[in-house]
Amino acid sequence: MYHCLLFNVHRPTTGHWERSAGVHRIANHLREQGWDAEVIDFASAWSYAQLEALAKSRITTNTKFFGFSHMFQTGSPVRNWPIAIEKLCAYIKQTYPDIIIITGSQHKPNFMSDHIDYSITGYGEYGLDALLKYKFSNGPRPKFDLIKGASGQKMIHSLESYPAHPMREPTVIYEDRDFIYPGEWGSIEFSRGCKFSCSFCNFPVLGVKGDYTRSAEGFRNNIMTNYDKFGIKNYMVSDETFNDSTEKITKFADVVEKLPWRPYFTGFLRADLLVSRAKEKEELLRMGFLGHFYGIETFNHATGKIIGKGMHPEKLQQGLLDVKKYLSENSNDTYRGQISIIYGLPLETKQSLKQTEHWLLNNWHTESLITWGLDLTDNDIGTSHSKLSLNYGKYGYRKVSGPYSFKQFKQSFYSTPGENVKRDNDDKENDVVNWENDHMNLVYAMENARNFKYNFKLIGGFQLGQIFINKNTGETATIEERLKLGGTDIDGAYTDFPKFITNYVNKKLSI
């Protein structure tokens, strides 16, 4: 049996961590093809010495590749590639030259390492199949592109050449060697792609037609197995838009009502659909889907119509409050709603943003908020570009330089603990369009988005599924404990992750 190691290179930005769904989905797929695939979670927190010791303990004559998963890390080359992992790749190529190194991401992998052999973009199950058959089973040569700036690194565009959407049964079953901790949440996928095509969105699969949700039986088998083996009760949903139809929610709510426990789900919901469909909140309640992330983006009506979210703001705002009231009053579990606002969208003015801020402070202060400055990409990073990025001039944006440099707002990235190396100097000025329009510029959008969100201290609905550690017990926090988190607790005072990762690494090394 061929063997591989798959590393989750997820990098936390606010002190809490999660087991990325993508790498575990790939591992499950490989096992269905007869591979021995072991997942190494939290790889960004491992030291090089730990990674090397792991490699030495696992590599056999059957080890064919190392894989690195890094969803949504689409910044400049090098910046997001931890030093310890780069050193591990160098060690593997020098010591075990026959082992290939593969990276994978929804967006174009951007780690300009000379040690990476292949990169796969998009939903990668079938692209990876093609590559592995080519390398190890005399299969045909896949379609490759070369990555600029990376010596010899070849890329497979799965979305174009080996599409893995729809995927009818995207099962994620964990293993004993994953060392799931009591109270951890799982990740689950109900369908792939989004039925909508919002102008600011650069998700890879948009405008999906038809119903491609997984089966009710497959869903039940998936969560029952994880419950029986590890006691996993709660899940983060990875769908781009979970409530694209009420019938979809009803199908899975029917399953949930017959489970021997009451799960709690969190995920992304389109608020205008939820508001306009009266039955939907009832079905979400039946399912236990009470951790909501709403991509509102704007309460300016003209802006909403441009980006594909045209419900009148007053109707939307009242509807959000009605949903919150209904779910809070009719559930034994706690509802938590999180609103996302983007600063700098077309026709959004400083005045309209102030009106949005005023409404949020007066009506949403008991919930959560996340804010962003509009990111207009102006290079080939990413497998797809939003409509705004492709035609930013049409939407009233002008590219500028000098004081509007996005580099002012780059967050420093450091490698693994004990090997801290500042990486700011690796950033490129052309990561994004340094823009302005008739209403504001990038500096205003970034500064105000960053500053205003600090008025909202509670953990967001979608964040509930991430890993928080109870400092007193050393165990992962319960839902009740997570819902009480706020202020500095969210930023790490509550999360004793070093103890968690030490225990996890020691178990992995000693398996």
Side-chain angles (χ1 to χ4, degrees):
M1 179 184 291
Y2 287 156
H3 168 253
C4 64
L5 287 173
L6 305 176
F7 296 79
N8 168 17
V9 194
H10 166 75
R11 177 171 65 89
T13 56
T14 52
H16 36 277
W17 297 66
E18 62 187 274
R19 297 180 190 260
S20 170
V23 67
H24 284 278
R25 171 63 204 135
I26 291 296
N28 276 256
H29 178 76
L30 286 170
R31 291 166 195 150
E32 292 168 355
Q33 314 307 311
W35 281 75
D36 174 19
E38 180 181 357
V39 174
I40 312 301
D41 281 308
F42 320 115
S44 300
W46 291 53
S47 70
Y48 171 69
Q50 291 168 336
L51 291 169
E52 182 183 315
L54 175 82
K56 289 178 177 178
S57 71
R58 300 297 199 276
I59 291 175
T60 71
T61 55
N62 289 323
T63 303
K64 299 302 179 183
F65 78 92
F66 275 33
F68 297 90
S69 172
H70 48 92
M71 182 178 181
F72 287 140
Q73 297 191 356
T74 58
S76 62
V78 178
R79 181 172 65 91
N80 291 325
W81 190 240
I83 292 294
I85 292 179
E86 173 72 357
K87 291 174 67 176
L88 174 66
C89 291
Y91 167 77
I92 294 301
K93 300 309 291 184
Q94 180 178 7
T95 312
Y96 307 95
D98 292 334
I99 294 177
I100 63 174
I101 294 176
I102 306 172
T103 67
S105 170
Q106 280 280 43
H107 296 266
K108 181 188 291 186
N110 53 21
F111 300 136
M112 300 295 105
S113 169
D114 291 338
H115 307 301
I116 298 171
D117 298 299
Y118 302 97
S119 291
I120 300 174
T121 70
Y123 297 110
E125 289 96 337
Y126 299 151
L128 181 60
D129 284 350
L131 175 60
L132 297 182
K133 289 175 182 177
Y134 166 65
K135 295 297 294 184
F136 307 117
S137 301
N138 296 316
R141 185 179 188 275
K143 180 181 179 181
F144 295 126
D145 287 333
L146 291 177
I147 296 181
K148 291 185 290 185
S151 176
Q153 187 179 154
K154 300 180 180 67
M155 180 165 56
I156 294 176
H157 293 278
S158 289
L159 296 174
E160 300 172 7
S161 303
Y162 306 96
H165 61 279
M167 176 68 67
R168 282 296 188 181
E169 296 299 340
T171 301
V172 172
I173 301 294
Y174 299 98
E175 295 189 322
D176 291 339
R177 59 184 171 177
D178 291 325
F179 295 108
I180 302 294
Y181 280 71
E184 273 200 65
W185 294 41
S187 295
I188 198 160
E189 183 180 4
F190 292 92
S191 61
R192 288 192 172 174
C194 184
K195 290 187 176 182
F196 308 100
S197 299
C198 299
S199 63
F200 63 88
C201 183
N202 69 342
F203 277 20
V205 181
L206 301 174
V208 173
K209 306 297 183 183
D211 178 12
Y212 294 112
T213 55
R214 66 186 304 168
S215 69
E217 181 182 7
F219 163 62
R220 186 182 188 281
N221 291 339
N222 192 159
I223 63 174
M224 280 300 303
T225 300
N226 287 332
Y227 176 76
D228 290 339
K229 292 180 67 175
F230 304 108
I232 296 175
K233 296 181 178 181
N234 310 311
Y235 283 88
M236 295 174 64
V237 176
S238 62
D239 295 32
E240 283 87 345
T241 305
F242 178 70
N243 66 327
D244 47 26
S245 76
T246 306
E247 293 74 19
K248 171 183 176 182
I249 308 171
T250 299
K251 178 168 74 171
F252 299 116
D254 289 343
V255 175
V256 168
E257 282 196 326
K258 299 175 183 177
L259 294 174
W261 80 98
R262 177 68 175 172
Y264 193 112
F265 293 92
T266 72
F268 297 86
L269 298 170
R270 184 147 171 157
D272 53 354
L273 300 181
L274 179 56
V275 168
S276 63
R277 301 194 292 224
K279 186 182 178 183
E280 199 152 284
K281 60 181 180 294
E282 301 171 11
E283 298 303 282
L284 290 169
L285 178 64
R286 283 204 307 129
M287 186 176 172
F289 201 120
L290 298 173
H292 295 188
F293 184 107
Y294 307 121
I296 301 297
E297 322 312 352
T298 181
F299 283 127
N300 181 8
H301 198 200
T303 300
K305 288 190 286 187
I306 287 178
I307 67 173
K309 298 191 175 185
M311 177 175 280
H312 195 282
E314 292 181 4
K315 180 180 179 180
L316 181 59
Q317 290 167 345
Q318 184 58 52
L320 285 168
L321 298 180
D322 292 342
V323 168
K324 173 186 173 181
K325 184 175 187 292
Y326 175 82
L327 294 177
S328 298
E329 292 180 350
N330 291 279
S331 174
N332 293 326
D333 298 313
T334 303
Y335 163 84
R336 176 58 54 80
Q338 184 173 17
I339 284 177
S340 168
I341 296 292
I342 299 177
Y343 281 57
L345 288 169
L347 301 186
E348 189 81 78
T349 67
K350 296 176 182 178
Q351 181 182 5
S352 66
L353 282 173
K354 291 299 181 185
Q355 292 171 344
T356 292
E357 292 174 354
H358 179 77
W359 185 88
L360 290 166
L361 287 171
N362 283 278
N363 297 278
W364 205 250
H365 58 278
T366 59
E367 301 303 323
S368 181
L369 176 75
I370 186 167
T371 57
W372 319 83
L374 178 64
D375 184 350
L376 298 179
T377 305
D378 192 29
N379 56 24
D380 62 353
I381 293 175
T383 57
S384 59
H385 294 82
S386 69
K387 296 176 184 177
L388 285 179
S389 288
L390 289 172
N391 301 285
Y392 59 85
K394 170 186 172 182
Y395 290 95
Y397 298 98
R398 300 178 290 274
K399 188 174 181 179
V400 296
S401 58
Y404 302 149
S405 171
F406 182 73
K407 194 176 181 70
Q408 297 176 62
F409 304 101
K410 289 283 188 183
Q411 290 186 347
S412 300
F413 175 64
Y414 296 88
S415 63
T416 53
E419 299 180 5
N420 296 330
V421 180
K422 196 170 184 179
R423 306 302 294 273
D424 282 289
N425 291 334
D426 292 321
D427 291 339
K428 306 297 183 182
E429 284 291 343
N430 65 345
D431 282 352
V432 297
V433 176
N434 300 320
W435 59 263
E436 66 179 4
N437 60 23
D438 292 339
H439 306 293
M440 67 188 71
N441 56 51
L442 179 66
V443 170
Y444 181 92
M446 292 296 293
E447 283 186 337
N448 283 270
R450 179 181 57 186
N451 293 333
F452 183 70
K453 69 179 179 181
Y454 291 118
N455 291 299
F456 297 80
K457 299 297 186 180
L458 292 176
I459 188 173
F462 191 66
Q463 291 173 294
L464 289 172
Q466 296 173 319
I467 292 178
F468 291 87
I469 308 301
N470 185 311
K471 295 181 70 173
N472 297 319
T473 66
E475 302 292 342
T476 53
T478 65
I479 292 178
E480 293 75 17
E481 290 169 333
R482 293 163 197 240
L483 287 165
K484 293 177 182 177
L485 291 177
T488 57
D489 291 337
I490 296 177
D491 297 328
Y494 192 84
T495 306
D496 192 11
F497 191 77
K499 181 189 298 183
F500 179 95
I501 192 63
T502 297
N503 293 337
Y504 172 83
V505 169
N506 287 340
K507 290 177 181 178
K508 279 286 185 181
L509 290 174
S510 62
I511 192 171

